[in-house]
Amino acid sequence: MAKQKNSKLKIIPLGGMGEIGKNLTVFEYKRDIIIVDCGITFPDETMYGIDIVLPDMTYLINNKDRIRGVVVTHGHEDHIGAIPYLLKEMNVPIYATKLTMGLIENKLTEHGLMRDSVRKVVRPKDRIDLGGFNVEFIRVNHSIADAVAVCVRCDAATVLHTGDFKIDYTPIDEEVIDLPRFAEIGKEGVDLLMADSTNVELPGVTLSEKSVGKRFMELFDGVETRIVVATFASNIHRVQQIVDAAVAHGRKVAVSGRSMINVSKTATELGYLDIPDGTLIDIRDINKYEPHEIVVVATGSQGETMAALSRMAVGEFRQFSITAGDLVIFSASPIPGNEKMVYQVINNLFKLGAEVVYEKLAEVHVSGHARVEELKLIHTLVNAKHFIPVHGEYRMLKHHVDLAQSLGMPEENTLVVNNGTIVELDKNSCRDIGKAPSGIVLVDGSGIGDVGNIVLRDRKHLSEDGIFMVVVTLSKGKTVAGPDVISRGFVYVRESEELINEARNVVKAALIKCEEKKITDWNKIKSELRDALDRFLYEKTKRRPMILPILMEV
Amino acid sequence: MAKQKNSKLKIIPLGGMGEIGKNLTVFEYKRDIIIVDCGITFPDETMYGIDIVLPDMTYLINNKDRIRGVVVTHGHEDHIGAIPYLLKEMNVPIYATKLTMGLIENKLTEHGLMRDSVRKVVRPKDRIDLGGFNVEFIRVNHSIADAVAVCVRCDAATVLHTGDFKIDYTPIDEEVIDLPRFAEIGKEGVDLLMADSTNVELPGVTLSEKSVGKRFMELFDGVETRIVVATFASNIHRVQQIVDAAVAHGRKVAVSGRSMINVSKTATELGYLDIPDGTLIDIRDINKYEPHEIVVVATGSQGETMAALSRMAVGEFRQFSITAGDLVIFSASPIPGNEKMVYQVINNLFKLGAEVVYEKLAEVHVSGHARVEELKLIHTLVNAKHFIPVHGEYRMLKHHVDLAQSLGMPEENTLVVNNGTIVELDKNSCRDIGKAPSGIVLVDGSGIGDVGNIVLRDRKHLSEDGIFMVVVTLSKGKTVAGPDVISRGFVYVRESEELINEARNVVKAALIKCEEKKITDWNKIKSELRDALDRFLYEKTKRRPMILPILMEV
């Protein structure tokens, strides 16, 4: 490889810009590369049948020999989910705090990657050298325990990346965000701040996690029925507060839903979740207890069809049934796009007679992200020379840049970038100098990247009007079997026999026409059949199923 | 038909209960039936390829000789959209206020039903006799002009149905909801109140439409660029206020989007929209004016892919391009389920450099539905003996019943009902006495009801993993052509040649096995092929496409 003449720092976000999801940022200085976070995102409604979405890692694969490690800020899917997929391409060491590493290890175990992977647990205030980089970990608060910001230093520049954060003066684990260290680093001099933009549209400050615990205590008071609380499995502190409220009210706790069980187990083993002896019971034993002796912590706060609470809401949960008077608490906000599903679950619970408490009506959830006033504090403490907003849709990034400017940063020192943008940074400048390969890679089943636009376009077409096939066997240009017509997802065949028969006649007529015109090119014959059927079916139904003519030769 | 012994009033909602959509309520007394509203709803995400959803009208079709008319409260799709489909089944007269009738007539024209339909325009305070019923129309405020509540009287009982409403003391057309008449009717005695539940979860009162006009005036002040305002086409008063603000700022108005053009035209012709001469310009002439001379009123406030604003946001609007500094106002809230699409359009507009004002950040929209304090007023004025909440998802209906009880109504006088519930009412009781046929009818293209669960299930399956077909021509049990394998929406074939070849071999092996086992029943052969392919493809890809074996005989 050519000698690196350029001694500036390059920063290349491969995910997380213009979106909330699949965070992955590349830092590159001379021969060395480090990666901050390596997450996935979930498919949108146009990605038919897709399970998860990865950032395009071509740039990393092309430079794999230069990568010194992956540094992880916290254990959410959009920060750790793509690590197994990265490790399948290259074996690079992973650096993360204890809980984050525990959650990563659960994934590596699933993917059979535990034996060969190199993992190093770090603590806040630790500083590690990775090639020409030094990375410092700084405690922050977030909706998952053990979250950190990172300060990335090299000879060319110092960058502070907040990761996802909020400011909580009374966090459950008493580990307040290390504001003094932010201030010190700010005083030493920061060339670039990269900060979480999720809640930049919201005024004021995000409430302390502790406020939710207080609310649980009030809600549990005097309740004689079963209590079910749904929340994100990864929100260990929320689960802790549910446990605390349960204990204070003499109730046992049962945990339900695969991810809730897995995360709770890891968090308990690592000392992040403290459940007094005798409190935890197996969900299968729930009917051995009276309703007023039980709190169930469940997945399903986003209305996910297969999650525990969603199954309870439709009476399909095996271990017990929600009955009239049961208290159900949604301790989460619907993520945009999930509103309809969440409200459907709430409606179903009301139909079963449950008392349902949800965010629209009560303070049973707080966000994990800083609002405007918290962002102002961090900007002020860090006092960076340049600013790039991260972790936000485009409008949020734009609002965050406006906020930086309102605090006195010159417009030319701020930069809104896209996934793939190559940023070049030194003590004096921060510029967009080009584009690295970037984009998305779709995971469907065990296939990584084998579903692209053509397949998605076909799935969309099939989902809208179904498929209409016509099969003909030819011998020397003459029809010897068929035409058979078969449809799926188009009309209910038994009630549309006449239409199907007419369609067969249309095909026969088209075949005769081809014979008369002496058309022998199969592609032309197929095209004639397709056109004739498309016209006929559209006229009859105003629908355009995918039409697939299949010719066989004997 | 048998003599009607029962002289109680029956009320049968065929839509609008447990949902916001397809409102249709049947009132039945002795031999006579009237219908209040006849709306559609829009498909949810499980209704692949469906255009609109109708209430099941079987009960009406079975009783068509007894129907005396359709009474319509206002011109929104969920109250008028199914009228053409009803009229295709039976010719019954339609009663509606002037603007509502104008919008209905647009639909009847589209469906070729104008000539034969019987339409009568009514005004607030009118009372009409329909068989044994008397129907009185009462002015209400809503997000469309000319909305009314109805008081339905027969010898058995008096029912007040609010339709959709809010209380606006300063409406744009100065037609304040007729609260004195609500009070008078209440004093005369109401046996049953049926009231709008949409905003029952929101405290306080809904602001006056006029507050939005004030905000437009402030936002337009000092702007030198083009202004685009997106709102619902049917919100005539909103459009009027945009026009007023435009005129006050010396700007012309261009209207964009098919529904916006149609509704504005109807509203102007009927005198509901007042655009001063010389103010309206054709959108195609927009480039003849300077940016500061123009306001564009556009569809697309819900992020609908094909609407005018969505096309502007991606630079695909023919008549002009949004450029840096243009002001775009979203004068609407995202309807649940549309959030992601709306924010995508907002993000795209920000990318073009537009200043975007939307509800999260500014008061540019008010709802058309009463909040808690307004509902309390109506309940108090009407002072009904019984109460059935309408126009709401289940949790809203439940909250609305709680509200009635909090005002002193005995629990046993309130009733939450479903679509299809037959309610029997007289001076002394209001009871659920059974169930009429009810449900949904899906409209896809020109087909009404020909897409059912099997077709939807197939479309879902096809959308997730696509289709995999295998075609074989047999002669006396021996393969003479094929097997050919063809897939769509499964994998990108060019990059998966090996998989396709292996699949063909799997089919060949299965065919040989069938021959060896002397299986000649085609259904059994197909089943063997399907099983072999399903196993193979799942093992290779962890996906389960629809597998379709097709056998031909020569």
Side-chain angles (χ1 to χ4, degrees), chain B residues 386-406:
Chain B
H386 301 96
F387 173 59
I388 294 178
V390 301
H391 207 277
E393 296 180 28
Y394 189 86
R395 68 181 191 285
M396 302 171 188
L397 304 181
K398 180 70 175 52
H399 283 301
H400 204 172
V401 153
D402 292 345
L403 180 140
Q405 291 172 25
S406 77

Short mmCIF file of all heavy atoms in Angstrom, two decimals, chain B residues 386-406:
data_model
loop_
_atom_site.label_atom_id
_atom_site.label_comp_id
_atom_site.label_asym_id
_atom_site.label_seq_id
_atom_site.Cartn_x
_atom_site.Cartn_y
_atom_site.Cartn_z
N HIS B 386 -79.35 7.50 28.57
CA HIS B 386 -78.36 6.46 28.27
C HIS B 386 -77.26 7.03 27.39
O HIS B 386 -77.45 8.06 26.73
CB HIS B 386 -79.02 5.28 27.54
CG HIS B 386 -80.13 4.64 28.31
ND1 HIS B 386 -81.44 4.98 28.11
CD2 HIS B 386 -80.12 3.71 29.29
CE1 HIS B 386 -82.22 4.27 28.93
NE2 HIS B 386 -81.43 3.50 29.67
N PHE B 387 -76.15 6.31 27.36
CA PHE B 387 -75.02 6.78 26.56
C PHE B 387 -74.29 5.63 25.87
O PHE B 387 -73.96 4.62 26.50
CB PHE B 387 -74.02 7.54 27.44
CG PHE B 387 -72.75 7.93 26.72
CD1 PHE B 387 -72.80 8.73 25.58
CD2 PHE B 387 -71.51 7.48 27.16
CE1 PHE B 387 -71.65 9.07 24.89
CE2 PHE B 387 -70.35 7.83 26.48
CZ PHE B 387 -70.42 8.62 25.35
N ILE B 388 -74.06 5.80 24.58
CA ILE B 388 -73.19 4.89 23.81
C ILE B 388 -72.12 5.74 23.12
O ILE B 388 -72.44 6.59 22.30
CB ILE B 388 -74.00 4.11 22.74
CG1 ILE B 388 -75.00 3.16 23.42
CG2 ILE B 388 -73.07 3.33 21.82
CD1 ILE B 388 -75.87 2.39 22.44
N PRO B 389 -70.86 5.52 23.46
CA PRO B 389 -69.79 6.26 22.78
C PRO B 389 -69.60 5.74 21.36
O PRO B 389 -69.73 4.54 21.13
CB PRO B 389 -68.56 5.98 23.64
CG PRO B 389 -68.84 4.67 24.30
CD PRO B 389 -70.33 4.57 24.46
N VAL B 390 -69.30 6.65 20.43
CA VAL B 390 -69.07 6.24 19.04
C VAL B 390 -67.76 6.86 18.55
O VAL B 390 -67.13 7.65 19.24
CB VAL B 390 -70.23 6.67 18.11
CG1 VAL B 390 -71.54 6.05 18.57
CG2 VAL B 390 -70.35 8.18 18.01
N HIS B 391 -67.37 6.48 17.32
CA HIS B 391 -66.23 7.10 16.64
C HIS B 391 -64.98 7.03 17.51
O HIS B 391 -64.43 8.05 17.93
CB HIS B 391 -66.55 8.56 16.31
CG HIS B 391 -65.79 9.08 15.10
ND1 HIS B 391 -64.51 9.54 15.20
CD2 HIS B 391 -66.14 9.18 13.80
CE1 HIS B 391 -64.11 9.93 13.99
NE2 HIS B 391 -65.07 9.72 13.12
N GLY B 392 -64.52 5.79 17.76
CA GLY B 392 -63.29 5.67 18.53
C GLY B 392 -62.81 4.23 18.58
O GLY B 392 -63.59 3.29 18.43
N GLU B 393 -61.50 4.09 18.79
CA GLU B 393 -60.96 2.77 19.07
C GLU B 393 -61.48 2.33 20.43
O GLU B 393 -61.96 3.14 21.22
CB GLU B 393 -59.43 2.83 19.03
CG GLU B 393 -58.94 3.18 17.63
CD GLU B 393 -57.42 3.25 17.54
OE1 GLU B 393 -56.74 2.56 18.31
OE2 GLU B 393 -56.93 4.00 16.68
N TYR B 394 -61.33 1.04 20.71
CA TYR B 394 -61.97 0.50 21.91
C TYR B 394 -61.59 1.26 23.17
O TYR B 394 -62.44 1.58 24.01
CB TYR B 394 -61.64 -0.99 22.08
CG TYR B 394 -62.46 -1.61 23.19
CD1 TYR B 394 -63.74 -2.10 22.94
CD2 TYR B 394 -61.99 -1.63 24.49
CE1 TYR B 394 -64.52 -2.61 23.96
CE2 TYR B 394 -62.77 -2.14 25.52
CZ TYR B 394 -64.02 -2.63 25.25
OH TYR B 394 -64.80 -3.14 26.27
N ARG B 395 -60.29 1.58 23.32
CA ARG B 395 -59.88 2.26 24.57
C ARG B 395 -60.55 3.62 24.71
O ARG B 395 -60.84 4.07 25.80
CB ARG B 395 -58.35 2.38 24.64
CG ARG B 395 -57.76 3.31 23.63
CD ARG B 395 -56.25 3.40 23.71
NE ARG B 395 -55.78 4.50 22.88
CZ ARG B 395 -55.72 4.48 21.55
NH1 ARG B 395 -56.08 3.41 20.89
NH2 ARG B 395 -55.30 5.53 20.88
N MET B 396 -60.79 4.29 23.57
CA MET B 396 -61.44 5.60 23.61
C MET B 396 -62.90 5.45 24.04
O MET B 396 -63.41 6.24 24.85
CB MET B 396 -61.36 6.27 22.24
CG MET B 396 -59.94 6.44 21.72
SD MET B 396 -59.94 6.98 19.98
CE MET B 396 -58.19 6.85 19.62
N LEU B 397 -63.57 4.45 23.49
CA LEU B 397 -64.97 4.20 23.87
C LEU B 397 -65.04 3.95 25.37
O LEU B 397 -65.92 4.47 26.07
CB LEU B 397 -65.53 3.00 23.09
CG LEU B 397 -65.47 3.09 21.56
CD1 LEU B 397 -66.09 1.84 20.93
CD2 LEU B 397 -66.15 4.35 21.03
N LYS B 398 -64.09 3.15 25.86
CA LYS B 398 -64.04 2.83 27.28
C LYS B 398 -63.81 4.12 28.12
O LYS B 398 -64.53 4.35 29.11
CB LYS B 398 -62.92 1.82 27.51
CG LYS B 398 -62.71 1.36 28.92
CD LYS B 398 -63.85 0.47 29.40
CE LYS B 398 -63.56 -0.10 30.79
NZ LYS B 398 -63.20 0.92 31.79
N HIS B 399 -62.86 4.93 27.70
CA HIS B 399 -62.60 6.18 28.43
C HIS B 399 -63.82 7.09 28.39
O HIS B 399 -64.11 7.81 29.35
CB HIS B 399 -61.40 6.92 27.82
CG HIS B 399 -60.07 6.35 28.19
ND1 HIS B 399 -59.65 6.24 29.48
CD2 HIS B 399 -59.07 5.85 27.44
CE1 HIS B 399 -58.43 5.69 29.52
NE2 HIS B 399 -58.08 5.44 28.29
N HIS B 400 -64.55 7.06 27.27
CA HIS B 400 -65.70 7.95 27.13
C HIS B 400 -66.84 7.51 28.06
O HIS B 400 -67.54 8.35 28.64
CB HIS B 400 -66.16 7.99 25.66
CG HIS B 400 -66.90 9.25 25.32
ND1 HIS B 400 -67.26 9.58 24.05
CD2 HIS B 400 -67.37 10.27 26.09
CE1 HIS B 400 -67.91 10.73 24.05
NE2 HIS B 400 -67.99 11.17 25.27
N VAL B 401 -67.00 6.21 28.21
CA VAL B 401 -67.99 5.70 29.16
C VAL B 401 -67.60 6.11 30.59
O VAL B 401 -68.45 6.51 31.40
CB VAL B 401 -68.11 4.17 29.00
CG1 VAL B 401 -68.56 3.51 30.28
CG2 VAL B 401 -69.06 3.84 27.86
N ASP B 402 -66.29 6.02 30.89
CA ASP B 402 -65.82 6.46 32.21
C ASP B 402 -66.15 7.93 32.44
O ASP B 402 -66.56 8.33 33.55
CB ASP B 402 -64.31 6.27 32.34
CG ASP B 402 -63.91 4.79 32.37
OD1 ASP B 402 -64.81 3.94 32.57
OD2 ASP B 402 -62.71 4.50 32.20
N LEU B 403 -65.98 8.73 31.38
CA LEU B 403 -66.27 10.16 31.49
C LEU B 403 -67.76 10.37 31.79
O LEU B 403 -68.13 11.17 32.67
CB LEU B 403 -65.86 10.87 30.21
CG LEU B 403 -66.09 12.38 30.16
CD1 LEU B 403 -64.93 13.08 29.46
CD2 LEU B 403 -67.39 12.74 29.45
N ALA B 404 -68.62 9.66 31.09
CA ALA B 404 -70.08 9.78 31.33
C ALA B 404 -70.40 9.43 32.77
O ALA B 404 -71.19 10.12 33.44
CB ALA B 404 -70.85 8.88 30.36
N GLN B 405 -69.76 8.37 33.26
CA GLN B 405 -70.02 7.96 34.64
C GLN B 405 -69.49 9.00 35.63
O GLN B 405 -70.12 9.26 36.66
CB GLN B 405 -69.41 6.57 34.91
CG GLN B 405 -70.15 5.47 34.13
CD GLN B 405 -69.45 4.13 34.22
OE1 GLN B 405 -68.71 3.85 35.15
NE2 GLN B 405 -69.69 3.29 33.22
N SER B 406 -68.37 9.62 35.29
CA SER B 406 -67.82 10.65 36.19
C SER B 406 -68.76 11.85 36.29
O SER B 406 -68.68 12.63 37.23
CB SER B 406 -66.43 11.09 35.71
OG SER B 406 -66.56 11.98 34.61
#
